[in-house]
């Protein structure tokens, strides 16, 4: 018995030492070999996508990519392999480009002239935390990249860190694609301003003051598109600001009432084959603190004026209250009285009209949404596609994303949402409801046979425009415009949905494919009440019970072994070892 234990210990120690030597060899030797990498990420972040390879192979004029980085021996420990990792990825791009991508590395650490040149481009050193010899400190390092093509303004990546490696393909190939395309697509954006509340405006006027000017709601949307090198043209859908004749696509944020002529202009663009991204907001909600605590939520209807046109295609954006158990929490400011002193705090508010859409609710076959992890569908409603009417109009639709199965509707009524309306208990759930659809085909003129609506105040004085030539087009219809306004566009991945939609409809599918290589923001899926109870019981009772049962079983086995050992000793007079 003792010899066997001794042999087991020696064998175990020898195996552990051998594994340590093998691990040291793999880390210190193979880890520094170029090309010795295995991409095990689910999103294949370190494997070049076919779209990126196609962009690089299609280069006709060399693109210069320059990496400005502090030498490895002056980097903090955790960044000493950064130059090697970046260079390996770029050498791979260089090889695929067949000489049309020129990559070079520079050290600006002690070169004042180079530092001045980089400063003029917006590149500056930045601080990172370092831990050396058990001391924590701060180091100033350089790690940036520029991408130049012909005489166009350079693209600058001002900070590159190890976490940038996962998105390096998007960060480098995306700008190369945009710099080398012949013409930037022109995107007309209709994003109405927020008018001042009528009662508030009346108060200003009664006091002899002019009410505040309407506020921008979609300025960030335009900025996001401009950052992606789209030529963005704001339009107001008026005689002075129509949809440009050479527009490549139209973005419509329908969050205020549109007049009939504006709806006709949008229908005309669709009939002419101009791709359209359209987000329709059926209603808004206002939050007010309740005297007894909590919040009162009041609904306000928005008749966008697009409803007849959409109905002519076979599409409807629901106008009822739409509520979903998959909800998100928002924080709202509230004033409280502390000993006579009024203090403003922020309170979390959770309501089923604040809808969260997660990865499992996206259409996995659509490149527009299949890499989106979560969206904040604030105050949105379902988009209902009538298959028969769509087919009769020569259109087809694809659902891009849906609500959760635990959703319900309440008939629309202005005023406060009651407790019964937001309580899901005892309700029959609707199942998954479409929230965004892609419609393709030749869109009909829903005003056919009718006179062209006049501009407000025009009284038909302007001559009617020439009829549009019908061409196949595409419409991305989303039942929520609030998710794209300045306050919500940055929430979750709302901005990514907008960019994907514009890229897809503008014919930049390659850019969309490259962007899809970004790290997906995955969230924990919503868990229903029964599942929560099951997992609580499992962790609190089942796991400890299994451990206790195993302990009892082991104790019984050890007791039997001890009994058998003592019986063998007694039988053999203590001379025989028990096997």
């Amino acid at each position: 018995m003792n010899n066997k234990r001794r042999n087991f210990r020696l064998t175990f120690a020898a195996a552990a030492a051998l594994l340590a030597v093998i691990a040291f060899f793999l880390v210190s030797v193979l880890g520094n070999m170029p090309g010795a990498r295995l991409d095990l990420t689910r999103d294949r972040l370190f494997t070049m996508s076919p779209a990126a390879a196609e962009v690089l192979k299609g280069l006709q004029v060399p693109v210069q990519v320059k990496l400005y980085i502090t030498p490895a021996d002056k980097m903090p420990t955790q960044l000493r392999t950064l130059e090697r990792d970046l260079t390996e990825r770029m050498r791979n791009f260089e090889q695929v480009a067949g000489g049309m991508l020129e990559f070079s590395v520079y050290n600006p650490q002690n070169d004042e002239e180079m530092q001045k040149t980089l400063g003029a481009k917006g590149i500056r050193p930045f601080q990172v935390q370092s831990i050396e010899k058990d001391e924590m400190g701060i180091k100033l390092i350089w790690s940036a990249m520029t991408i130049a093509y012909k005489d166009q303004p350079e693209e600058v990546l001002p900070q590159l860190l190890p976490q940038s490696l996962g998105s390096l393909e998007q960060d480098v190939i995306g700008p190369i694609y945009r710099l080398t395309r012949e013409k930037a697509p022109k995107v007309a954006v209709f994003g109405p301003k927020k008018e001042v509340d009528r009662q508030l405006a009346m108060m200003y006027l009664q006091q002899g003051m002019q009410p505040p000017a309407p506020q921008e709601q979609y300025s960030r949307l335009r900025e996001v598109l401009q950052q992606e090198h789209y030529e963005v043209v704001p339009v107001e859908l008026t005689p002075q600001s129509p949809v440009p004749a050479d527009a490549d696509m139209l973005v419509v944020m329908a969050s205020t009432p549109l007049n009939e002529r504006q709806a006709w202009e949008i229908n005309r663009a669709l009939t002419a084959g101009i791709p359209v991204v359209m987000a329709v907001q059926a209603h808004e909600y206002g939050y007010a603190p309740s005297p007894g605590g909590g919040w009162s939520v009041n609904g306000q209807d928005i008749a966008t004026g697009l409803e007849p046109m959409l109905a002519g295609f076979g599409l409807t954006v629901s106008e009822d209250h739409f509520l979903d158990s998959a909800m998100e929490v928002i924080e709202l400011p509230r004033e409280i009285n502390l000993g006579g002193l009024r203090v403003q705090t922020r309170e979390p508010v959770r309501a089923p009209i604040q809808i969260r859409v997660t990865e499992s609710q996206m259409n996995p076959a659509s490149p527009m949404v299949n890499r989106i992890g979560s969206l904040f569908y604030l105050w949105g409603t379902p988009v209902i596609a009538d298959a028969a009417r769509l087919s009769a109009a020569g259109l087809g639709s694809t659902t891009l994303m849906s609500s959760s199965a635990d959703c319900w509707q309440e008939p629309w009524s202005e005023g406060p949402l009651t407790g019964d309306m937001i309580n899901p208990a005892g309700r029959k759930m609707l199942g998954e409801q479409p929230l965004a659809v892609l419609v393709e085909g030749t869109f009909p003129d829903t005003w056919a046979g009718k006179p062209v609506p006049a501009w407000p105040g025009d009284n038909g004085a302007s001559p009617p425009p020439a009829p549009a030539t019908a061409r196949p087009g595409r419409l991305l219809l989303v039942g929520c415009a609030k998710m794209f306004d300045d306050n919500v566009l940055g929430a979750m991945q709302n901005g990514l949905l907008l960019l994907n939609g514009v890229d897809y409809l503008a014919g930049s599918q390659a850019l969309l494919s490259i962007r899809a290589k970004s790290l997906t923001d995955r969230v924990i899926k919503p868990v229903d009440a029964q599942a929560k109870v099951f997992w609580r019981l499992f962790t609190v009772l089942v796991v400890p019970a299994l451990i206790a049962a195993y302990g009892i079983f082991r104790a019984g086995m050890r007791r039997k072994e001890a009994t058998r050992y003592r019986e063998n000793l007694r039988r053999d007079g203590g001379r025989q070892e028990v096997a």
Side-chain angles (χ1 to χ4, degrees):
M1 184 76 171
N2 291 335
N3 288 337
K4 283 192 174 183
R5 286 185 176 179
R6 186 166 52 251
N7 291 338
F8 172 77
R9 289 170 180 169
L10 288 174
T11 304
F12 184 81
L18 181 61
L19 288 175
V21 171
I22 292 173
F24 178 78
F25 175 78
L26 290 175
V27 171
S28 60
V29 179
L30 294 183
N32 291 323
M33 290 179 61
R37 298 288 185 274
L38 186 63
D39 187 357
L40 298 177
T41 59
R42 177 181 170 185
D43 297 316
R44 311 298 294 170
L45 296 177
F46 301 98
T47 302
M48 186 179 294
S49 66
E54 185 178 346
V55 170
L56 291 173
K57 290 175 181 175
L59 292 175
Q60 301 297 322
V61 177
V63 175
Q64 291 79 37
V65 181
K66 298 178 181 179
L67 173 63
Y68 300 92
I69 191 166
T70 299
D73 59 341
K74 296 182 180 177
M75 280 283 200
T77 306
Q78 71 273 19
L79 298 181
R80 285 184 179 167
T81 60
L82 180 60
E83 180 182 343
R84 183 203 63 188
D85 295 337
L86 289 170
T87 301
E88 279 188 6
R89 296 290 305 277
M90 292 308 306
R91 295 299 180 202
N92 188 22
F93 294 166
E94 200 175 40
Q95 186 178 10
V96 174
M100 288 295 130
L101 190 150
E102 299 170 353
F103 175 67
S104 50
V105 182
Y106 298 88
N107 171 21
Q109 193 75 18
N110 300 316
D111 189 334
E112 293 186 1
E113 190 66 28
M114 184 184 295
Q115 292 179 7
K116 288 182 182 177
T117 304
L118 293 178
K121 297 178 181 178
I123 299 176
R124 291 176 177 79
F126 54 94
Q127 293 181 336
V128 294
Q129 192 177 67
S130 67
I131 302 175
E132 294 183 1
K133 298 179 181 178
D134 299 330
E135 291 185 2
M136 185 175 293
I138 299 294
K139 277 195 171 184
L140 195 64
I141 67 164
W142 294 83
S143 180
M145 189 177 283
T146 61
I147 304 168
Y149 178 73
K150 291 185 177 179
D151 57 349
Q152 297 193 36
E154 282 185 317
E155 290 274 350
V156 175
L157 306 179
Q159 287 190 7
L160 291 171
L161 292 169
Q163 52 267 37
S164 308
L165 290 168
S167 61
L168 191 67
E169 182 175 306
Q170 175 194 336
D171 295 340
V172 174
I173 308 297
I176 290 176
Y177 175 82
R178 293 190 293 265
L179 287 170
T180 56
R181 63 187 171 192
E182 294 182 356
K183 175 182 174 295
K186 178 181 283 188
V187 180
V189 177
F190 173 72
K193 297 180 180 178
K194 182 76 172 178
E195 297 287 344
V196 180
D197 182 74
R198 289 183 180 179
Q199 293 184 352
L200 184 62
M202 289 297 295
M203 291 175 59
Y204 273 94
L205 293 173
Q206 289 172 358
Q207 296 176 8
M209 301 167 60
Q210 284 297 321
Q215 294 180 339
E216 285 277 3
Q217 296 185 90
Y218 301 100
S219 58
R220 288 189 63 191
L221 181 153
R222 296 196 294 270
E223 291 173 4
V224 167
L225 295 178
Q226 286 169 341
Q227 288 171 1
E228 294 295 312
H229 290 247
Y230 283 103
E231 182 183 351
V232 178
V233 181
V235 297
E236 298 178 357
L237 296 179
T238 61
Q240 298 75 28
S241 178
V243 178
D246 59 345
D248 294 296
M249 70 173 301
L250 174 64
V251 175
V252 176
M253 294 290 119
S255 57
T256 57
L258 280 72
N259 59 54
E260 189 178 8
R261 180 56 183 266
Q262 290 175 316
W264 183 88
E265 293 286 340
I266 295 170
N267 192 164
R268 176 183 165 84
L270 278 166
T271 303
I274 297 177
V276 175
V277 173
M278 183 185 298
V280 178
Q281 191 70 41
H283 44 249
E284 290 185 338
Y285 293 94
Y287 296 71
S290 297
W295 292 80
S296 172
V297 182
N298 293 276
Q300 182 179 0
D301 184 36
I302 301 174
T304 63
L306 297 177
E307 294 81 6
M309 180 192 73
L310 292 174
F313 301 151
L315 300 168
T316 304
V317 176
S318 174
E319 298 178 5
D320 290 333
H321 295 287
F322 184 65
L323 308 102
D324 197 318
S325 297
M327 64 188 91
E328 190 62 28
V329 177
I330 61 174
E331 287 193 345
L332 298 176
R334 181 180 192 136
E335 280 193 352
I336 58 174
N337 192 332
L338 292 177
L341 182 64
R342 302 192 70 81
V343 178
Q344 192 172 72
T345 63
R346 299 188 71 81
E347 282 190 5
V349 178
R350 193 166 182 262
I353 54 174
Q354 303 157 190
I355 299 169
R356 180 180 63 235
V357 184
T358 57
E359 184 182 5
S360 61
Q361 297 164 234
M362 308 291 175
N363 182 348
S366 171
M368 274 191 282
V369 296
N370 62 4
R371 304 299 290 270
I372 292 179
S374 59
L375 295 170
F376 189 22
Y377 200 75
L378 183 61
W379 309 340
T381 54
V383 177
I384 303 163
D386 186 329
R389 297 189 65 180
L390 281 169
S391 177
L395 302 171
S397 71
T398 305
T399 299
L400 301 179
M401 62 183 189
S402 305
S403 68
S404 77
D406 297 329
C407 62
W408 67 100
Q409 283 185 316
E410 283 285 337
W412 171 255
S413 61
E414 292 209 359
L417 287 177
T418 64
D420 291 338
M421 295 167 75
I422 63 175
N423 186 4
R427 292 180 179 275
K428 182 179 180 181
M429 297 298 171
L430 297 175
E432 296 181 356
Q433 298 294 304
L435 303 179
V437 298
L438 175 66
V439 185
E440 300 177 275
T442 302
F443 289 84
D445 178 5
T446 56
W447 274 268
K450 303 177 185 175
V452 177
W455 291 108
D458 184 67
N459 297 323
S462 301
T469 303
R471 295 188 178 89
R474 288 182 289 190
L475 167 66
L476 169 58
L477 179 60
V478 185
C480 179
K482 185 67 182 174
M483 66 187 297
F484 300 121
D485 78 5
D486 289 351
N487 296 321
V488 192
L489 183 65
M492 299 186 184
Q493 292 179 293
N494 292 4
L496 184 58
L497 173 63
L498 173 76
L499 283 177
N500 285 353
V502 172
D503 286 346
Y504 188 84
L505 297 188
S508 303
Q509 283 87 353
L511 196 60
L512 189 152
S513 301
I514 295 168
R515 184 181 298 118
K517 292 291 297 297
S518 301
L519 188 63
T520 303
D521 182 15
R522 296 190 173 86
V523 299
I524 298 175
K525 297 177 183 177
V527 180
D528 58 34
Q530 292 181 344
K532 289 178 182 176
V533 172
F534 169 78
W535 287 111
R536 281 175 184 162
L537 292 175
F538 182 81
T539 53
V540 174
L541 297 178
V542 178
V543 173
L546 289 176
I547 294 174
Y550 178 74
I552 294 171
F553 172 76
R554 284 290 301 159
M557 294 297 296
R558 290 173 66 88
R559 183 170 297 178
K560 285 183 178 179
E561 288 178 1
T563 303
R564 189 163 53 246
Y565 178 74
R566 285 194 293 270
E567 289 177 352
N568 289 336
L569 282 180
R570 187 170 57 252
R571 186 169 55 249
D572 299 337
R575 294 190 300 271
Q576 181 182 351
E577 291 187 356
V578 179

